[in-house]
Amino acid sequence: MTVSKKIVLHFPRRLVEQPIVCRLVKEYNLDFNILKAAISPDDEGLMVLELRGKQADYDKGIKYLIKRGLRIQSLSQNVIRNEERCTHCGACVALCPAGAFTLDLASRQISFDDEKCLVCGICLTACPPRAMELHF
Ligand code: SF4
Ligand code: SF4
């Protein structure tokens, strides 16, 4: 499945001059279209871009960006959890690149922090009862 998503990348100062976005093309087979780029007064880099490619490549590219230390925001979508469907199986915890799920060891319940969610979409297909839902 091919996806096209608009995201905002926040680069910490140490990464502003590195060719990180170019590697999305070379190593993750993604196309991108830069919609806006700026350097803020505190030297944080900000880039709004549209990223296109296969869902699996997109997921890997997003993981790469997070691993490099970028903060990512989605512009148009939200992921929410359908609490009635969630069975607290824990399948999403290790998969989420943003650490949005947390296991409470005492209760064995999985909590979901939507503030951390990057809307990468990984949990949407990984969740066995399809409790994670994409909303526009
Ligand atoms: S994978 Fe789905 S059902 Fe399992 S804990 Fe995560 S949200 Fe709940
Ligand atoms: S879409 Fe799911 S896997 Fe991706 S960041 Fe949000 S909660 Fe984590």
Side-chain angles (χ1 to χ4, degrees):
M1 181 176 69
T2 301
V3 294
S4 175
K5 301 189 186 189
K6 287 181 185 164
I7 57 174
V8 185
L9 302 181
H10 297 265
F11 295 72
R13 185 176 184 168
R14 67 189 161 81
L15 297 178
V16 164
E17 293 185 358
Q18 294 195 23
I20 289 174
V21 173
C22 295
R23 291 187 65 183
L24 294 174
V25 178
K26 289 183 189 165
E27 297 180 24
Y28 298 95
N29 304 312
L30 296 169
D31 283 334
F32 67 87
N33 182 22
I34 296 175
L35 304 174
K36 182 178 178 183
I39 305 266
S40 65
D42 61 359
D43 283 347
E44 183 191 63
L46 182 150
M47 187 181 285
V48 181
L49 69 134
E50 187 170 10
L51 207 52
R52 290 180 299 273
K54 290 183 182 166
Q55 180 75 61
D57 291 332
Y58 179 85
D59 294 344
K60 287 177 194 160
I62 291 291
K63 280 185 179 172
Y64 160 71
L65 294 173
I66 293 168
K67 202 171 167 188
R68 289 303 311 267
L70 276 72
R71 190 159 59 82
I72 306 172
Q73 287 175 281
S74 169
L75 281 181
S76 54
Q77 301 162 338
N78 278 323
V79 168
I80 64 160
R81 182 166 73 174
N82 183 326
E83 299 297 339
E84 290 180 1
R85 284 195 172 186
C86 177
T87 59
H88 297 272
C89 68
C92 52
V93 178
L95 293 174
C96 175
F101 298 99
T102 310
L103 167 65
D104 182 280
L105 287 172
S107 66
R108 308 301 298 174
Q109 299 284 292
I110 308 293
S111 62
F112 171 52
D113 181 352
D114 61 357
E115 296 278 312
K116 290 184 178 176
C117 176
L118 306 166
V119 198
C120 70
I122 291 173
C123 63
L124 299 179
T125 49
C127 172
R130 297 291 188 263
M132 303 306 294
E133 300 171 352
L134 186 62
H135 288 241
F136 295 88

